């Protein structure tokens, strides 16, 4: 396999599953450290801050600075600031997206107190009927819908569980609007890494288990891609796609 | 308009919207009472028992015996007994579906205590992430998925809010299974009315605002249908369908 300068890893299904590290990926990352090659984590997980993700990685033996972790939460906050600077925002999500939106100085409101201009949704493990009602109604009075990512499901120790995309699509169908998704397969996060570190696209590679998010993100950005068979989309499915990854491997 | 012996009414969007009665429908029903014609309510609402729906109708001035109210909850319980008699059932839903399943002697379990054979879902205004996770995981270990109805959304005073079909489709997509829906447009509830009262199909009419549930239910059963323009699907949309209702009217 070609050597790259910047290795960009998905997390869930690529580096760990649930709380359990994937040994081959951990070994591969330790090897990159020995060779002093750059690596980054590019995740659609918007529920945790980079610091919280840093802790999760430390628990499986990977010590990395928080600024090497790029989450869809950060990218979403940047997108909202660019497109809706003075907007009132109704948010469904966890610490990661809340912290990112607040850090950009955005005005978070409840629908009881103000009519939101934007509904931002990231994965929320306390999501309930009333939150979905509030989002659905806000969209019907003209709010725009932005999702951190469009993952329908993601793997846990016990099986697949609902992802943020499931809930974004639910309220979009109820209100009959089209959502905007910021996370992978949108290339925004890879663009930020490239700009911050000055890599050429040919020096970068995107590594992940999910064809529809990780691999398409790399393809749309325009860098090489590596599919690993350790997560949500199996190699046999990936090989049927029109646009194939640069490499398909069992594990790293 | 032809006179029928049995008038079968949808509720939400046809007889009331939210908690507010639709005057023209209420007058029409009072007229049927004066002419001593039979009328029934055929609803995909599985959250309330017939007795609770009876109370809602009484509040808008319609006094009707509970046994004239046919809910998808009752029909679902009958369906489960027929197809999965000794099954363990994980249920998401409200009083209506719980009462109906228990009345048939079915064994309701939590996924913590037993592996369910069937997941039954009716509208649940306390639905949350953990319930959806439990349902998704049960389906991945082989449980069958049965929804009381497939309504994606339904009207409230403030706008459209998520319906049971939204949540059934969510877990079906996560687990990649096909759900079975028992409520309208399935003709099961009209079949039960016909059998219990001995009507001919030509003597019955199904009245509703929702083409995809009410009108298709009547068409699949084989009776006449009346679309009213007081709810979720507007007349101009209905007139574009291949199979049109017998009558399209503004209101009753």
């Amino acid at each position: 396999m070609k050597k790259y300068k910047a290795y960009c890893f998905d997390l869930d299904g690529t580096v760990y599953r649930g709380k359990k590290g994937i040994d081959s990926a951990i070994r591969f990352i330790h090897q990159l450290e020995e060779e002093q090659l750059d690596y980054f984590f590019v995740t659609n997980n918007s529920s945790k801050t980079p610091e919280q993700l840093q802790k999760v990685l430390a628990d499986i033996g990977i010590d990395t600075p928080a600024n090497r972790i790029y989450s869809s939460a950060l990218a979403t906050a940047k997108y909202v600031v660019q497109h809706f600077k003075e907007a009132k925002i109704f948010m469904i999500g966890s610490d990661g997206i809340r912290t990112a939106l607040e850090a950009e100085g955005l005005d978070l409101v409840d629908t009881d107190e103000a009519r939101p201009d934007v509904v931002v949704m990231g994965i929320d493990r306390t999501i309930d009927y009333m939150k979905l009602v509030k989002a659905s109604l806000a969209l019907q009075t003209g709010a725009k819908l932005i999702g951190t990512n469009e993952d329908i499901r993601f793997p846990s120790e016990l099986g697949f569980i609902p992802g943020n995309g499931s809930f974004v699509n639910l309220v979009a169908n109820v209100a009959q609007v089209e959502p905007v998704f910021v996370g992978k397969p949108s290339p925004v996060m890879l663009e930020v890494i490239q700009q911050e570190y000055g890599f050429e696209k040919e020096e970068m590679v995107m590594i992940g288990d999910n064809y529809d998010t990780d691999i398409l993100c790399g393809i749309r950005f325009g860098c090489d891609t590596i599919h690993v068979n350790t997560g949500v989309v199996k190699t046999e499915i990936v090989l049927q796609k029109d646009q194939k990854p640069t490499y398909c491997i069992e594990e790293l």
Side-chain angles (χ1 to χ4, degrees), chain A:
Chain A
M1 194 184 295
K2 179 180 158 185
K3 285 275 174 194
Y4 299 91
K5 279 196 178 168
Y7 290 78
C8 304
F9 293 88
D10 169 56
L11 286 175
D12 249 322
T14 301
V15 175
Y16 51 67
R17 268 188 298 265
K19 283 169 189 162
K20 201 174 163 337
I22 296 173
D23 292 340
S24 53
I26 297 169
R27 275 198 303 272
F28 187 84
I29 289 166
H30 288 161
Q31 207 176 312
L32 294 178
E33 285 173 343
E34 283 175 21
E35 301 178 31
Q36 295 189 309
L37 293 167
D38 280 316
Y39 61 91
F40 303 89
F41 300 102
V42 176
T43 176
N44 276 354
N45 186 330
S46 72
S47 70
K48 296 192 170 69
T49 65
E51 288 71 24
Q52 289 170 326
L53 289 169
Q54 188 182 25
K55 170 82 172 56
V56 173
L57 286 167
D59 286 347
I60 59 167
I62 298 172
D63 292 310
T64 191
N67 68 5
R68 294 289 169 124
I69 301 170
Y70 291 77
S71 80
S72 59
L74 295 175
T76 298
K78 287 180 198 297
Y79 180 94
V80 173
V81 164
Q82 282 169 11
H83 293 80
F84 308 97
K85 185 134 188 64
E86 302 294 321
K88 290 185 168 49
I89 294 162
F90 175 64
M91 185 213 71
I92 295 178
S94 307
D95 279 1
I97 183 70
R98 175 181 295 279
T99 307
L101 292 169
E102 286 175 349
E104 297 286 349
L106 290 159
D107 185 12
L108 305 189
V109 298
D110 195 348
T111 55
D112 302 335
E113 63 201 25
R115 184 162 147 174
D117 308 296
V118 184
V119 173
V120 173
M121 292 177 70
I123 187 70
D124 174 2
R125 287 171 193 247
T126 66
I127 198 164
D128 59 21
Y129 193 72
M130 194 42 64
K131 292 183 186 181
L132 293 166
V133 166
K134 287 179 173 183
S136 300
L137 293 174
L139 298 174
Q140 288 167 74
T141 56
K144 301 296 174 198
L145 176 58
I146 299 172
T148 55
N149 71 81
E150 55 191 292
D151 293 3
I152 295 300
R153 62 185 200 158
F154 57 91
S156 74
E157 295 93 331
L158 295 171
F160 291 106
I161 60 176
N164 184 50
S166 284
F167 297 99
V168 175
N169 290 338
L170 189 155
V171 297
N173 282 332
V174 169
Q176 302 192 334
V177 300
E178 279 295 321
V180 172
F181 290 106
V182 172
K184 298 172 287 183
S186 156
V188 167
M189 289 186 282
L190 292 181
E191 286 166 7
V192 173
I193 293 173
Q194 183 189 27
Q195 283 159 19
E196 290 189 350
Y197 290 84
F199 297 119
E200 300 295 326
K201 287 184 182 179
E202 302 76 55
E203 297 170 336
M204 298 172 68
V205 64
M206 178 69 215
I207 302 162
D209 63 304
N210 188 331
Y211 180 85
D212 299 313
T213 55
D214 306 322
I215 303 305
L216 280 184
C217 174
I219 289 172
R220 288 188 192 168
F221 173 67
C223 70
D224 280 359
T225 53
I226 301 173
H227 176 264
V228 290
N229 199 24
T230 50
V232 71
V233 180
K234 294 295 156 197
T235 304
E236 64 205 68
I237 304 294
V238 173
L239 293 175
Q240 292 166 16
K241 304 284 183 182
D242 282 345
Q243 296 185 290
K244 293 185 182 50
T246 317
Y247 303 98
C248 277
I249 58 177
E250 269 306 301
E251 53 178 20
L252 286 162

